[in-house]
Amino acid sequence: DMKVTQMPRYLIKRMGENVLLECGQDMSHETMYWYRQDPGLGLQLIYISYDVDSNSEGDIPKGYRVSRKKREHFSLILDSAKTNQTSVYFCASSFSNSQNTLYFGAGTRLSVL
Amino acid sequence: GEKVEQHESTLSVREGDSAVINCTYTDTASSYFPWYKQEAGKSLHFVIDIRSNVDRKQSQRLTVLLDKKAKRFSLHITATQPEDSAIYFCAASLNSAGNKLTFGIGTRVLVRP
């Protein structure tokens, strides 16, 4: 069953708290992504990971870091969350070949108060 | 970097009519153009793509047209049905691997009975 699983689905944090968003996939995809979706801005790429410990900044990496210690698992970490990081976060994965369909998780709705 | 502009923010069509969503991109090196669909409250999933070696691709009621000279591509939905109601995102990437997709901001399509 091809699936990208995100945890948690909903999260409320206070400004300054640390946030950990987790993502897993069962398709042995090499490449994984973190996007955030905001009204009027569409999807913005935060980080991309090409494989274990091979991570690259996307378009809006500031305030975020990632960890990929296993191919099937990719974490997004917000150290000292800010209110402007309130958003819906999507994880996605894909094979690193010419097909490259992205498979998205269900999203995590994060509110930073 | 690449910028993708999605020209229609919302589109309302009568059931059975056609819907057309237009996108433009800036980088002439872009060669892969997928479309993703997001139904209300759900995640995104792939619907159709086109690569720069062709100018038209059809899959059932969906057709994608690519005009490389104008740096424009479009999604045509014929015989629209209620289940076509969703937000549609166009995207572009600089290489066939599609690893770094740049998304448009999305077009909300509403199919009226």
Side-chain angles (χ1 to χ4, degrees):
Chain A
D1 190 23
M2 299 190 298
K3 197 183 261 190
V4 177
T5 303
Q6 287 186 241
M7 295 292 288
R9 293 292 317 280
Y10 303 92
L11 191 58
I12 299 175
K13 287 285 192 178
R14 294 194 185 281
M15 194 169 60
E17 290 185 327
N18 297 334
V19 177
L20 173 64
L21 304 185
E22 313 236 42
C23 177
Q25 48 97 3
D26 60 3
M27 297 168 277
S28 299
H29 286 164
E30 300 92 345
T31 309
M32 295 187 75
Y33 316 75
W34 278 106
Y35 287 91
R36 63 177 281 177
Q37 183 180 27
D38 300 288
L41 295 177
L43 282 163
Q44 296 175 276
L45 179 64
I46 305 170
Y47 266 94
I48 183 172
S49 174
Y50 296 103
D51 212 325
V52 171
D53 284 330
S54 179
N55 307 319
S56 181
E57 293 181 346
D59 299 318
I60 53 161
K62 189 177 177 184
Y64 303 94
R65 61 184 175 92
V66 292
S67 174
R68 191 153 178 218
K69 298 300 181 185
K70 294 181 179 180
R71 178 172 278 189
E72 63 270 21
H73 193 251
F74 190 34
S75 301
L76 180 69
I77 301 122
L78 289 67
D79 295 313
S80 187
K82 299 172 180 50
T83 55
N84 62 7
Q85 292 178 307
T86 292
S87 187
V88 179
Y89 291 86
F90 285 102
C91 174
S93 69
S94 72
F95 285 119
S96 297
N97 60 27
S98 60
Q99 291 300 117
N100 276 283
T101 296
L102 267 62
Y103 293 83
F104 282 85
T108 295
R109 186 174 293 275
L110 172 67
S111 295
V112 182
L113 307 178
Chain B
E2 172 68 282
K3 287 184 172 36
V4 176
E5 188 171 346
Q6 208 160 335
H7 295 267
E8 298 84 9
S9 58
T10 58
L11 201 54
S12 180
V13 298
R14 198 175 296 277
E15 185 176 348
D17 287 351
S18 295
V20 181
I21 306 169
N22 295 287
C23 290
T24 52
Y25 60 98
T26 57
D27 196 321
T28 52
S30 287
S31 60
Y32 175 63
F33 307 92
W35 290 83
Y36 286 80
K37 177 182 180 182
Q38 184 179 31
E39 293 165 59
K42 297 189 177 179
S43 188
L44 289 82
H45 67 268
F46 170 85
V47 288
I48 191 171
D49 62 9
I50 191 167
R51 298 178 195 278
S52 57
N53 58 341
V54 297
D55 54 18
R56 179 191 175 96
K57 182 175 179 179
Q58 182 174 355
S59 174
Q60 299 181 319
R61 295 185 296 107
L62 302 179
T63 301
V64 182
L65 302 178
L66 174 63
D67 180 344
K68 291 189 289 291
K69 193 174 277 187
K71 290 187 281 187
R72 181 174 57 223
F73 58 113
S74 57
L75 175 67
H76 299 245
I77 309 172
T78 57
T80 53
Q81 299 170 4
E83 55 264 34
D84 295 327
S85 294
I87 302 175
Y88 291 81
F89 293 92
C90 61
S93 77
L94 290 175
N95 56 52
S96 297
N99 280 349
K100 278 198 176 182
L101 281 173
T102 299
F103 283 86
I105 64 170
T107 296
R108 185 179 297 274
V109 173
L110 174 64
V111 180
R112 310 186 312 272

